[in-house]
Short mmCIF file of all heavy atoms in Angstrom, two decimals:
data_model
loop_
_atom_site.label_atom_id
_atom_site.label_comp_id
_atom_site.label_asym_id
_atom_site.label_seq_id
_atom_site.Cartn_x
_atom_site.Cartn_y
_atom_site.Cartn_z
N MET A 20 2.59 -54.08 -38.46
CA MET A 20 2.35 -55.04 -37.45
C MET A 20 1.19 -54.47 -36.58
O MET A 20 1.30 -53.38 -36.07
CB MET A 20 3.56 -55.38 -36.66
CG MET A 20 3.28 -56.26 -35.49
SD MET A 20 4.79 -56.52 -34.55
CE MET A 20 4.94 -58.25 -34.81
N PRO A 21 0.11 -55.22 -36.41
CA PRO A 21 -1.01 -54.75 -35.51
C PRO A 21 -0.60 -54.67 -34.17
O PRO A 21 0.18 -55.53 -33.64
CB PRO A 21 -2.09 -55.67 -35.77
CG PRO A 21 -1.56 -56.95 -36.32
CD PRO A 21 -0.27 -56.54 -37.02
N LYS A 22 -1.18 -53.72 -33.38
CA LYS A 22 -0.88 -53.61 -31.92
C LYS A 22 -1.51 -54.68 -31.18
O LYS A 22 -2.75 -55.06 -31.51
CB LYS A 22 -1.44 -52.26 -31.44
CG LYS A 22 -0.38 -51.16 -31.55
CD LYS A 22 -0.94 -49.91 -31.12
CE LYS A 22 -1.26 -49.80 -29.59
NZ LYS A 22 -1.55 -48.46 -29.15
N ARG A 23 -0.87 -55.26 -30.30
CA ARG A 23 -1.46 -56.25 -29.46
C ARG A 23 -2.39 -55.56 -28.37
O ARG A 23 -2.08 -54.54 -27.94
CB ARG A 23 -0.36 -57.06 -28.67
CG ARG A 23 0.52 -57.97 -29.51
CD ARG A 23 1.54 -58.55 -28.65
NE ARG A 23 2.19 -57.60 -27.85
CZ ARG A 23 2.98 -57.78 -26.84
NH1 ARG A 23 3.26 -59.04 -26.51
NH2 ARG A 23 3.49 -56.91 -26.14
N PRO A 24 -3.56 -56.22 -28.03
CA PRO A 24 -4.25 -55.69 -26.93
C PRO A 24 -3.53 -55.63 -25.61
O PRO A 24 -2.84 -56.57 -25.31
CB PRO A 24 -5.50 -56.69 -26.84
CG PRO A 24 -5.43 -57.53 -28.02
CD PRO A 24 -4.04 -57.43 -28.55
N GLY A 25 -3.55 -54.51 -24.96
CA GLY A 25 -2.87 -54.31 -23.73
C GLY A 25 -1.38 -53.94 -23.88
O GLY A 25 -0.78 -53.50 -22.92
N ALA A 26 -0.93 -53.85 -25.02
CA ALA A 26 0.46 -53.46 -25.39
C ALA A 26 0.54 -51.93 -25.22
O ALA A 26 -0.32 -51.13 -25.77
CB ALA A 26 1.00 -53.84 -26.75
N PRO A 27 1.47 -51.35 -24.55
CA PRO A 27 1.48 -49.94 -24.33
C PRO A 27 1.90 -49.17 -25.67
O PRO A 27 2.80 -49.64 -26.33
CB PRO A 27 2.63 -49.67 -23.28
CG PRO A 27 3.47 -50.91 -23.30
CD PRO A 27 2.57 -52.00 -23.83
N GLY A 28 1.10 -48.20 -25.98
CA GLY A 28 1.38 -47.37 -27.16
C GLY A 28 2.12 -46.15 -26.81
O GLY A 28 2.49 -45.92 -25.70
N SER A 29 2.50 -45.39 -27.83
CA SER A 29 3.36 -44.20 -27.50
C SER A 29 2.57 -43.26 -26.62
O SER A 29 3.14 -42.58 -25.75
CB SER A 29 3.74 -43.50 -28.82
OG SER A 29 2.67 -43.09 -29.47
N ASP A 30 1.18 -43.10 -26.85
CA ASP A 30 0.42 -42.09 -25.98
C ASP A 30 0.39 -42.66 -24.54
O ASP A 30 0.51 -41.91 -23.57
CB ASP A 30 -0.99 -41.98 -26.49
CG ASP A 30 -1.09 -41.24 -27.82
OD1 ASP A 30 -0.15 -40.53 -28.05
OD2 ASP A 30 -2.05 -41.37 -28.52
N ASP A 31 0.28 -44.01 -24.40
CA ASP A 31 0.35 -44.57 -23.08
C ASP A 31 1.64 -44.34 -22.35
O ASP A 31 1.68 -44.13 -21.15
CB ASP A 31 0.01 -46.18 -23.16
CG ASP A 31 -1.42 -46.45 -23.56
OD1 ASP A 31 -2.25 -45.50 -23.46
OD2 ASP A 31 -1.64 -47.52 -24.08
N ARG A 32 2.72 -44.49 -23.12
CA ARG A 32 4.00 -44.27 -22.47
C ARG A 32 4.17 -42.88 -22.06
O ARG A 32 4.67 -42.62 -20.95
CB ARG A 32 5.06 -44.64 -23.52
CG ARG A 32 5.28 -46.15 -23.72
CD ARG A 32 6.46 -46.43 -24.58
NE ARG A 32 6.33 -47.72 -25.17
CZ ARG A 32 6.40 -47.90 -26.51
NH1 ARG A 32 6.56 -46.99 -27.35
NH2 ARG A 32 6.16 -49.18 -26.97
N GLU A 33 3.71 -41.91 -22.84
CA GLU A 33 3.88 -40.57 -22.43
C GLU A 33 3.01 -40.21 -21.17
O GLU A 33 3.38 -39.56 -20.25
CB GLU A 33 3.34 -39.62 -23.63
CG GLU A 33 4.38 -39.55 -24.81
CD GLU A 33 5.73 -38.99 -24.33
OE1 GLU A 33 5.74 -37.94 -23.57
OE2 GLU A 33 6.80 -39.60 -24.65
N SER A 34 1.87 -40.74 -21.07
CA SER A 34 1.01 -40.52 -20.03
C SER A 34 1.54 -41.13 -18.74
O SER A 34 1.59 -40.56 -17.67
CB SER A 34 -0.44 -41.12 -20.27
OG SER A 34 -1.09 -40.56 -21.33
N GLU A 35 2.13 -42.38 -18.91
CA GLU A 35 2.76 -43.05 -17.82
C GLU A 35 3.92 -42.34 -17.34
O GLU A 35 4.24 -42.13 -16.10
CB GLU A 35 3.10 -44.47 -18.22
CG GLU A 35 3.64 -45.29 -17.04
CD GLU A 35 3.87 -46.83 -17.49
OE1 GLU A 35 3.08 -47.25 -18.24
OE2 GLU A 35 4.93 -47.23 -16.97
N ARG A 36 4.76 -41.72 -18.24
CA ARG A 36 5.97 -41.04 -17.88
C ARG A 36 5.56 -39.74 -17.06
O ARG A 36 6.09 -39.42 -16.07
CB ARG A 36 6.73 -40.57 -19.12
CG ARG A 36 8.10 -40.15 -18.78
CD ARG A 36 8.82 -39.71 -20.12
NE ARG A 36 9.09 -38.32 -19.91
CZ ARG A 36 8.89 -37.33 -20.75
NH1 ARG A 36 8.35 -37.55 -21.91
NH2 ARG A 36 9.18 -36.12 -20.47
N GLY A 37 4.53 -39.04 -17.53
CA GLY A 37 4.11 -37.88 -16.75
C GLY A 37 3.48 -38.22 -15.42
O GLY A 37 3.75 -37.53 -14.45
N LEU A 38 2.77 -39.35 -15.29
CA LEU A 38 2.27 -39.76 -14.03
C LEU A 38 3.42 -40.15 -13.11
O LEU A 38 3.37 -39.76 -11.93
CB LEU A 38 1.36 -40.92 -14.27
CG LEU A 38 0.64 -41.48 -12.97
CD1 LEU A 38 -0.14 -40.38 -12.34
CD2 LEU A 38 -0.14 -42.68 -13.29
N ARG A 39 4.40 -40.89 -13.62
CA ARG A 39 5.54 -41.23 -12.74
C ARG A 39 6.29 -39.99 -12.21
O ARG A 39 6.68 -39.92 -11.09
CB ARG A 39 6.56 -42.03 -13.58
CG ARG A 39 6.19 -43.52 -13.55
CD ARG A 39 7.38 -44.38 -14.04
NE ARG A 39 8.06 -43.85 -15.16
CZ ARG A 39 7.89 -44.26 -16.43
NH1 ARG A 39 6.95 -45.16 -16.66
NH2 ARG A 39 8.60 -43.69 -17.45
N GLY A 40 6.28 -38.92 -12.96
CA GLY A 40 6.91 -37.68 -12.58
C GLY A 40 6.21 -36.98 -11.46
O GLY A 40 6.68 -36.37 -10.58
N LEU A 41 4.86 -37.27 -11.43
CA LEU A 41 4.04 -36.59 -10.40
C LEU A 41 4.01 -37.46 -9.06
O LEU A 41 3.97 -36.87 -7.97
CB LEU A 41 2.63 -36.33 -10.85
CG LEU A 41 2.52 -35.34 -11.93
CD1 LEU A 41 1.02 -35.34 -12.43
CD2 LEU A 41 2.92 -33.94 -11.31
N VAL A 42 3.93 -38.79 -9.21
CA VAL A 42 3.73 -39.70 -8.06
C VAL A 42 4.89 -40.51 -7.74
O VAL A 42 4.84 -41.36 -6.83
CB VAL A 42 2.47 -40.50 -8.16
CG1 VAL A 42 1.19 -39.56 -8.40
CG2 VAL A 42 2.54 -41.39 -9.45
N GLY A 43 5.88 -40.39 -8.55
CA GLY A 43 7.08 -41.41 -8.32
C GLY A 43 7.89 -40.99 -7.06
O GLY A 43 7.57 -40.00 -6.33
N SER A 44 8.95 -41.73 -6.82
CA SER A 44 9.74 -41.47 -5.62
C SER A 44 10.66 -40.20 -5.82
O SER A 44 11.12 -39.64 -4.76
CB SER A 44 10.63 -42.69 -5.35
OG SER A 44 11.59 -42.89 -6.49
N GLY A 45 10.83 -39.81 -7.00
CA GLY A 45 11.68 -38.67 -7.28
C GLY A 45 10.91 -37.38 -7.08
O GLY A 45 9.81 -37.32 -6.62
N SER A 46 11.53 -36.25 -7.38
CA SER A 46 10.87 -34.96 -7.30
C SER A 46 9.83 -34.76 -8.34
O SER A 46 9.95 -35.36 -9.40
CB SER A 46 11.91 -33.81 -7.35
OG SER A 46 12.47 -33.83 -8.64
N SER A 47 8.85 -34.01 -7.95
CA SER A 47 7.71 -33.81 -8.90
C SER A 47 8.09 -32.68 -9.93
O SER A 47 9.00 -31.84 -9.74
CB SER A 47 6.56 -33.32 -8.13
OG SER A 47 5.50 -32.90 -9.04
N GLN A 48 7.41 -32.73 -11.07
CA GLN A 48 7.67 -31.75 -12.15
C GLN A 48 6.88 -30.51 -11.77
O GLN A 48 7.06 -29.45 -12.37
CB GLN A 48 7.18 -32.30 -13.47
CG GLN A 48 8.11 -33.41 -13.93
CD GLN A 48 7.64 -33.92 -15.30
OE1 GLN A 48 6.72 -33.46 -15.87
NE2 GLN A 48 8.36 -34.90 -15.82
N VAL A 49 6.06 -30.53 -10.74
CA VAL A 49 5.22 -29.41 -10.36
C VAL A 49 5.86 -28.89 -9.07
O VAL A 49 6.03 -29.57 -8.06
CB VAL A 49 3.80 -29.82 -10.14
CG1 VAL A 49 2.91 -28.67 -9.65
CG2 VAL A 49 3.16 -30.43 -11.35
N SER A 50 6.12 -27.54 -9.04
CA SER A 50 6.60 -26.95 -7.79
C SER A 50 5.68 -26.88 -6.77
O SER A 50 4.44 -26.90 -7.00
CB SER A 50 7.22 -25.57 -8.20
OG SER A 50 6.06 -24.74 -8.33
N VAL A 51 6.04 -26.71 -5.55
CA VAL A 51 5.18 -26.58 -4.39
C VAL A 51 4.26 -25.36 -4.60
O VAL A 51 2.99 -25.45 -4.36
CB VAL A 51 5.93 -26.54 -3.08
CG1 VAL A 51 5.08 -26.20 -1.88
CG2 VAL A 51 6.83 -27.78 -2.83
N GLY A 52 4.76 -24.29 -4.98
CA GLY A 52 4.03 -23.03 -5.15
C GLY A 52 2.89 -23.31 -6.21
O GLY A 52 1.74 -22.86 -6.01
N ALA A 53 3.30 -23.92 -7.32
CA ALA A 53 2.24 -24.19 -8.30
C ALA A 53 1.19 -25.11 -7.87
O ALA A 53 0.00 -24.95 -8.15
CB ALA A 53 2.87 -24.80 -9.64
N ALA A 54 1.63 -26.15 -7.08
CA ALA A 54 0.53 -27.05 -6.53
C ALA A 54 -0.36 -26.31 -5.59
O ALA A 54 -1.60 -26.57 -5.57
CB ALA A 54 1.27 -28.19 -5.78
N LEU A 55 0.13 -25.49 -4.68
CA LEU A 55 -0.72 -24.68 -3.79
C LEU A 55 -1.63 -23.70 -4.52
O LEU A 55 -2.75 -23.60 -4.18
CB LEU A 55 0.20 -23.84 -2.87
CG LEU A 55 0.97 -24.73 -1.88
CD1 LEU A 55 1.90 -23.85 -1.04
CD2 LEU A 55 0.02 -25.48 -0.87
N ARG A 56 -1.13 -23.10 -5.65
CA ARG A 56 -1.98 -22.19 -6.43
C ARG A 56 -3.09 -23.00 -7.12
O ARG A 56 -4.27 -22.63 -7.10
CB ARG A 56 -1.16 -21.50 -7.51
CG ARG A 56 -0.41 -20.33 -6.92
CD ARG A 56 0.12 -19.38 -8.10
NE ARG A 56 0.95 -20.18 -8.98
CZ ARG A 56 2.27 -20.44 -8.89
NH1 ARG A 56 2.91 -20.07 -7.83
NH2 ARG A 56 2.85 -21.08 -9.89
N ALA A 57 -2.83 -24.21 -7.62
CA ALA A 57 -3.83 -25.07 -8.19
C ALA A 57 -4.80 -25.46 -7.28
O ALA A 57 -6.06 -25.55 -7.44
CB ALA A 57 -3.19 -26.34 -8.90
N ARG A 58 -4.41 -25.81 -5.97
CA ARG A 58 -5.32 -26.16 -5.03
C ARG A 58 -6.32 -25.09 -4.64
O ARG A 58 -7.46 -25.18 -4.48
CB ARG A 58 -4.64 -26.60 -3.68
CG ARG A 58 -5.46 -27.06 -2.48
CD ARG A 58 -4.77 -27.03 -1.22
NE ARG A 58 -4.42 -25.58 -0.88
CZ ARG A 58 -3.66 -25.30 0.12
NH1 ARG A 58 -3.20 -26.15 0.95
NH2 ARG A 58 -3.36 -24.05 0.33
N ASP A 59 -5.68 -23.82 -4.51
CA ASP A 59 -6.66 -22.67 -4.25
C ASP A 59 -7.58 -22.37 -5.38
O ASP A 59 -8.72 -22.01 -5.11
CB ASP A 59 -5.71 -21.43 -3.94
CG ASP A 59 -4.93 -21.61 -2.56
OD1 ASP A 59 -5.37 -22.38 -1.78
OD2 ASP A 59 -4.00 -20.85 -2.33
N ALA A 60 -7.11 -22.46 -6.58
CA ALA A 60 -7.89 -22.16 -7.76
C ALA A 60 -9.10 -23.23 -7.94
O ALA A 60 -10.15 -22.90 -8.48
CB ALA A 60 -7.14 -22.17 -9.03
N SER A 61 -8.87 -24.42 -7.31
CA SER A 61 -9.94 -25.43 -7.59
C SER A 61 -10.94 -25.43 -6.40
O SER A 61 -11.87 -26.23 -6.46
CB SER A 61 -9.27 -26.77 -7.62
OG SER A 61 -8.69 -27.21 -6.45
N ARG A 62 -10.74 -24.54 -5.46
CA ARG A 62 -11.72 -24.51 -4.30
C ARG A 62 -12.97 -23.98 -4.80
O ARG A 62 -13.08 -23.02 -5.52
CB ARG A 62 -11.16 -23.64 -3.20
CG ARG A 62 -10.12 -24.37 -2.35
CD ARG A 62 -9.76 -23.62 -1.12
NE ARG A 62 -8.70 -24.44 -0.41
CZ ARG A 62 -7.87 -23.78 0.34
NH1 ARG A 62 -7.88 -22.55 0.62
NH2 ARG A 62 -6.98 -24.52 1.01
N PRO A 63 -14.20 -24.52 -4.30
CA PRO A 63 -15.46 -23.94 -4.76
C PRO A 63 -15.72 -22.55 -4.20
O PRO A 63 -15.32 -22.30 -3.08
CB PRO A 63 -16.47 -24.97 -4.28
CG PRO A 63 -15.84 -25.65 -3.15
CD PRO A 63 -14.37 -25.57 -3.38
N SER A 64 -16.32 -21.70 -5.05
CA SER A 64 -16.67 -20.37 -4.50
C SER A 64 -17.95 -20.48 -3.76
O SER A 64 -18.60 -21.49 -3.65
CB SER A 64 -16.92 -19.44 -5.69
OG SER A 64 -18.12 -19.84 -6.40
N ASP A 65 -18.34 -19.33 -3.05
CA ASP A 65 -19.56 -19.30 -2.29
C ASP A 65 -20.73 -19.62 -3.19
O ASP A 65 -21.72 -20.23 -2.84
CB ASP A 65 -19.78 -17.94 -1.56
CG ASP A 65 -18.75 -17.81 -0.42
OD1 ASP A 65 -18.30 -18.85 0.06
OD2 ASP A 65 -18.47 -16.68 -0.01
N ASP A 66 -20.72 -19.09 -4.44
CA ASP A 66 -21.77 -19.32 -5.36
C ASP A 66 -21.89 -20.76 -5.76
O ASP A 66 -23.00 -21.30 -5.96
CB ASP A 66 -21.57 -18.46 -6.71
CG ASP A 66 -21.74 -17.00 -6.44
OD1 ASP A 66 -22.43 -16.60 -5.45
OD2 ASP A 66 -21.27 -16.15 -7.25
N ASP A 67 -20.69 -21.45 -5.95
CA ASP A 67 -20.68 -22.89 -6.26
C ASP A 67 -21.37 -23.69 -5.19
O ASP A 67 -22.12 -24.60 -5.41
CB ASP A 67 -19.25 -23.39 -6.50
CG ASP A 67 -18.57 -22.78 -7.71
OD1 ASP A 67 -19.31 -22.46 -8.63
OD2 ASP A 67 -17.30 -22.75 -7.69
N LEU A 68 -20.99 -23.30 -3.85
CA LEU A 68 -21.57 -23.99 -2.69
C LEU A 68 -23.11 -23.82 -2.62
O LEU A 68 -23.81 -24.72 -2.38
CB LEU A 68 -20.85 -23.62 -1.45
CG LEU A 68 -19.44 -23.97 -1.40
CD1 LEU A 68 -18.83 -23.40 -0.08
CD2 LEU A 68 -19.18 -25.45 -1.33
N ALA A 69 -23.52 -22.59 -2.86
CA ALA A 69 -24.97 -22.30 -2.79
C ALA A 69 -25.62 -23.00 -3.98
O ALA A 69 -26.78 -23.58 -3.67
CB ALA A 69 -25.17 -20.79 -3.00
N GLU A 70 -25.05 -23.14 -5.11
CA GLU A 70 -25.76 -23.88 -6.23
C GLU A 70 -25.88 -25.40 -5.86
O GLU A 70 -26.88 -25.99 -6.07
CB GLU A 70 -24.89 -23.64 -7.51
CG GLU A 70 -25.52 -24.43 -8.65
CD GLU A 70 -24.55 -24.22 -9.91
OE1 GLU A 70 -23.72 -23.44 -9.96
OE2 GLU A 70 -24.89 -24.91 -10.86
N ALA A 71 -24.80 -25.87 -5.32
CA ALA A 71 -24.82 -27.33 -4.88
C ALA A 71 -25.87 -27.52 -3.78
O ALA A 71 -26.60 -28.54 -3.91
CB ALA A 71 -23.41 -27.71 -4.35
N ASP A 72 -26.03 -26.68 -2.86
CA ASP A 72 -27.04 -26.86 -1.76
C ASP A 72 -28.47 -26.82 -2.47
O ASP A 72 -29.30 -27.58 -1.95
CB ASP A 72 -26.95 -25.71 -0.74
CG ASP A 72 -25.78 -25.85 0.28
OD1 ASP A 72 -25.39 -27.09 0.37
OD2 ASP A 72 -25.34 -24.98 0.94
N ARG A 73 -28.62 -25.96 -3.43
CA ARG A 73 -29.90 -25.84 -4.15
C ARG A 73 -30.23 -27.02 -5.01
O ARG A 73 -31.28 -27.56 -5.03
CB ARG A 73 -29.93 -24.53 -4.90
CG ARG A 73 -31.25 -24.18 -5.50
CD ARG A 73 -31.20 -22.89 -6.35
NE ARG A 73 -30.41 -23.09 -7.54
CZ ARG A 73 -29.33 -22.37 -7.84
NH1 ARG A 73 -28.89 -21.53 -7.03
NH2 ARG A 73 -28.62 -22.67 -8.93
N ASP A 74 -29.20 -27.45 -5.83
CA ASP A 74 -29.37 -28.37 -6.85
C ASP A 74 -29.04 -29.86 -6.66
O ASP A 74 -29.54 -30.76 -7.40
CB ASP A 74 -28.70 -27.88 -8.17
CG ASP A 74 -29.25 -26.55 -8.65
OD1 ASP A 74 -30.42 -26.25 -8.33
OD2 ASP A 74 -28.50 -25.89 -9.33
N LEU A 75 -28.19 -30.17 -5.65
CA LEU A 75 -27.69 -31.45 -5.51
C LEU A 75 -28.60 -32.34 -4.66
O LEU A 75 -29.12 -31.92 -3.59
CB LEU A 75 -26.29 -31.44 -4.85
CG LEU A 75 -25.58 -32.68 -4.59
CD1 LEU A 75 -25.19 -33.28 -5.95
CD2 LEU A 75 -24.41 -32.45 -3.77
N THR A 76 -28.90 -33.48 -5.22
CA THR A 76 -29.74 -34.44 -4.50
C THR A 76 -28.87 -35.59 -3.99
O THR A 76 -28.19 -36.20 -4.69
CB THR A 76 -30.88 -35.08 -5.38
OG1 THR A 76 -31.70 -33.96 -5.96
CG2 THR A 76 -31.78 -36.04 -4.69
N ILE A 77 -28.86 -35.66 -2.73
CA ILE A 77 -28.05 -36.76 -2.19
C ILE A 77 -28.95 -38.01 -1.82
O ILE A 77 -29.94 -37.85 -1.14
CB ILE A 77 -27.41 -36.38 -0.79
CG1 ILE A 77 -26.46 -35.25 -1.09
CG2 ILE A 77 -26.66 -37.49 -0.18
CD1 ILE A 77 -25.82 -34.51 0.09
N VAL A 78 -28.60 -39.12 -2.37
CA VAL A 78 -29.29 -40.41 -2.13
C VAL A 78 -28.39 -41.31 -1.44
O VAL A 78 -27.34 -41.72 -2.01
CB VAL A 78 -29.85 -40.99 -3.42
CG1 VAL A 78 -30.64 -42.29 -3.12
CG2 VAL A 78 -30.78 -39.93 -4.14
N ARG A 79 -28.75 -41.74 -0.26
CA ARG A 79 -27.90 -42.70 0.49
C ARG A 79 -28.26 -44.14 0.07
O ARG A 79 -29.40 -44.44 -0.25
CB ARG A 79 -28.18 -42.45 2.02
CG ARG A 79 -27.66 -41.16 2.47
CD ARG A 79 -27.99 -40.77 3.86
NE ARG A 79 -27.55 -39.54 4.39
CZ ARG A 79 -28.17 -38.40 4.01
NH1 ARG A 79 -29.21 -38.31 3.27
NH2 ARG A 79 -27.66 -37.27 4.49
N ARG A 80 -27.21 -45.03 0.18
CA ARG A 80 -27.41 -46.37 -0.24
C ARG A 80 -28.51 -47.02 0.69
O ARG A 80 -28.56 -46.87 1.84
CB ARG A 80 -26.12 -47.11 -0.04
CG ARG A 80 -26.09 -48.52 -0.53
CD ARG A 80 -24.78 -49.23 -0.36
NE ARG A 80 -23.86 -48.47 -1.26
CZ ARG A 80 -22.60 -48.82 -1.21
NH1 ARG A 80 -22.12 -49.76 -0.49
NH2 ARG A 80 -21.74 -48.10 -2.05
N ASN A 81 -29.43 -47.75 -0.03
CA ASN A 81 -30.53 -48.46 0.73
C ASN A 81 -31.49 -47.56 1.38
O ASN A 81 -32.12 -47.94 2.30
CB ASN A 81 -29.98 -49.54 1.61
CG ASN A 81 -29.04 -50.60 0.91
OD1 ASN A 81 -29.36 -50.97 -0.24
ND2 ASN A 81 -28.04 -50.94 1.57
N TRP A 82 -31.54 -46.33 0.93
CA TRP A 82 -32.49 -45.40 1.54
C TRP A 82 -33.39 -44.85 0.36
O TRP A 82 -32.86 -44.53 -0.62
CB TRP A 82 -31.72 -44.25 2.20
CG TRP A 82 -32.69 -43.21 2.79
CD1 TRP A 82 -33.21 -43.27 4.04
CD2 TRP A 82 -33.01 -41.95 2.08
NE1 TRP A 82 -34.03 -42.09 4.16
CE2 TRP A 82 -33.82 -41.27 3.03
CE3 TRP A 82 -32.79 -41.36 0.95
CZ2 TRP A 82 -34.44 -40.08 2.74
CZ3 TRP A 82 -33.29 -40.11 0.70
CH2 TRP A 82 -34.18 -39.50 1.64
N LEU A 83 -34.69 -44.85 0.64
CA LEU A 83 -35.61 -44.35 -0.38
C LEU A 83 -36.32 -43.14 0.19
O LEU A 83 -36.82 -43.08 1.38
CB LEU A 83 -36.63 -45.38 -0.72
CG LEU A 83 -36.01 -46.67 -1.46
CD1 LEU A 83 -37.11 -47.69 -1.64
CD2 LEU A 83 -35.46 -46.29 -2.69
N PRO A 84 -36.40 -41.99 -0.60
CA PRO A 84 -37.07 -40.82 -0.02
C PRO A 84 -38.60 -41.08 0.00
O PRO A 84 -39.10 -41.95 -0.76
CB PRO A 84 -36.79 -39.81 -1.13
CG PRO A 84 -36.44 -40.54 -2.30
CD PRO A 84 -35.80 -41.85 -1.93
N ARG A 85 -39.34 -40.40 0.86
CA ARG A 85 -40.67 -40.62 0.94
C ARG A 85 -41.45 -40.00 -0.16
O ARG A 85 -42.52 -40.42 -0.57
CB ARG A 85 -41.27 -39.95 2.28
CG ARG A 85 -40.70 -40.66 3.55
CD ARG A 85 -41.10 -39.93 4.70
NE ARG A 85 -40.34 -40.55 5.84
CZ ARG A 85 -40.93 -40.80 7.06
NH1 ARG A 85 -42.21 -40.56 7.25
NH2 ARG A 85 -40.23 -41.26 8.03
N GLU A 86 -40.89 -38.90 -0.72
CA GLU A 86 -41.52 -38.23 -1.83
C GLU A 86 -40.66 -38.51 -3.16
O GLU A 86 -39.64 -39.03 -3.07
CB GLU A 86 -41.60 -36.68 -1.65
CG GLU A 86 -40.26 -36.00 -1.62
CD GLU A 86 -39.64 -36.05 -0.22
OE1 GLU A 86 -40.25 -36.42 0.80
OE2 GLU A 86 -38.46 -35.69 -0.21
N GLU A 87 -41.35 -38.22 -4.18
CA GLU A 87 -40.78 -38.51 -5.57
C GLU A 87 -39.56 -37.56 -5.73
O GLU A 87 -39.64 -36.37 -5.39
CB GLU A 87 -41.81 -38.29 -6.68
CG GLU A 87 -41.22 -38.53 -8.06
CD GLU A 87 -40.96 -40.02 -8.35
OE1 GLU A 87 -41.61 -40.90 -7.58
OE2 GLU A 87 -40.17 -40.31 -9.23
N LEU A 88 -38.42 -38.04 -6.20
CA LEU A 88 -37.26 -37.13 -6.49
C LEU A 88 -37.60 -36.27 -7.67
O LEU A 88 -38.32 -36.70 -8.59
CB LEU A 88 -35.99 -37.94 -6.75
CG LEU A 88 -35.46 -38.73 -5.59
CD1 LEU A 88 -34.25 -39.62 -6.11
CD2 LEU A 88 -34.94 -37.83 -4.50
N PRO A 89 -37.05 -35.03 -7.67
CA PRO A 89 -37.27 -34.12 -8.76
C PRO A 89 -36.62 -34.65 -10.06
O PRO A 89 -35.56 -35.20 -9.97
CB PRO A 89 -36.70 -32.84 -8.30
CG PRO A 89 -35.77 -33.11 -7.25
CD PRO A 89 -36.24 -34.38 -6.69
N ARG A 90 -37.32 -34.50 -11.17
CA ARG A 90 -36.81 -34.95 -12.56
C ARG A 90 -36.05 -33.80 -13.12
O ARG A 90 -36.44 -32.73 -12.91
CB ARG A 90 -37.92 -35.40 -13.45
CG ARG A 90 -38.78 -36.53 -12.90
CD ARG A 90 -38.06 -37.81 -13.06
NE ARG A 90 -38.93 -38.85 -12.52
CZ ARG A 90 -38.36 -40.01 -12.10
NH1 ARG A 90 -37.20 -40.25 -12.10
NH2 ARG A 90 -39.25 -41.00 -11.67
N ARG A 91 -35.01 -34.19 -13.78
CA ARG A 91 -34.10 -33.20 -14.43
C ARG A 91 -34.39 -33.09 -15.88
O ARG A 91 -34.84 -33.80 -16.54
CB ARG A 91 -32.68 -33.44 -14.27
CG ARG A 91 -32.30 -33.19 -12.75
CD ARG A 91 -30.79 -33.42 -12.61
NE ARG A 91 -30.55 -33.07 -11.30
CZ ARG A 91 -29.45 -32.49 -10.85
NH1 ARG A 91 -28.55 -32.22 -11.60
NH2 ARG A 91 -29.34 -32.30 -9.60
#
């Protein structure tokens, strides 16, 4: 029998179950200590911040720069 569009598949069910474990009303599957370690590990380093300052071009909505933007 072909799957109906929008019908949840087994992969979708597993993803949804994992998501419910993280954001549902019950306790999370991730401990507080593990969450804090993950937060600390994902913080940018000084090198990451320096690279972003050097390479990141910020363009604000409805604003055009006076000079041509660098091409990548």
Side-chain angles (χ1 to χ4, degrees):
M20 171 180 247
K22 274 177 64 172
R23 293 178 310 167
S29 63
D30 290 340
D31 293 340
R32 285 188 202 123
E33 287 298 316
S34 298
E35 187 175 318
R36 191 180 123 233
L38 181 60
R39 276 196 314 264
L41 292 173
V42 298
S44 61
S46 64
S47 173
Q48 294 179 359
V49 178
S50 70
V51 172
L55 291 173
R56 285 192 304 276
R58 181 198 63 188
D59 290 340
S61 68
R62 286 191 179 153
S64 67
D65 290 338
D66 291 338
D67 293 332
L68 294 174
E70 181 181 351
D72 281 340
R73 184 182 69 241
D74 297 338
L75 185 66
T76 302
I77 298 174
V78 178
R79 291 169 182 81
R80 186 178 296 179
N81 299 324
W82 178 83
L83 297 173
R85 292 176 193 224
E86 66 277 350
E87 181 71 23
L88 291 175
R90 301 283 179 204
R91 290 185 177 216

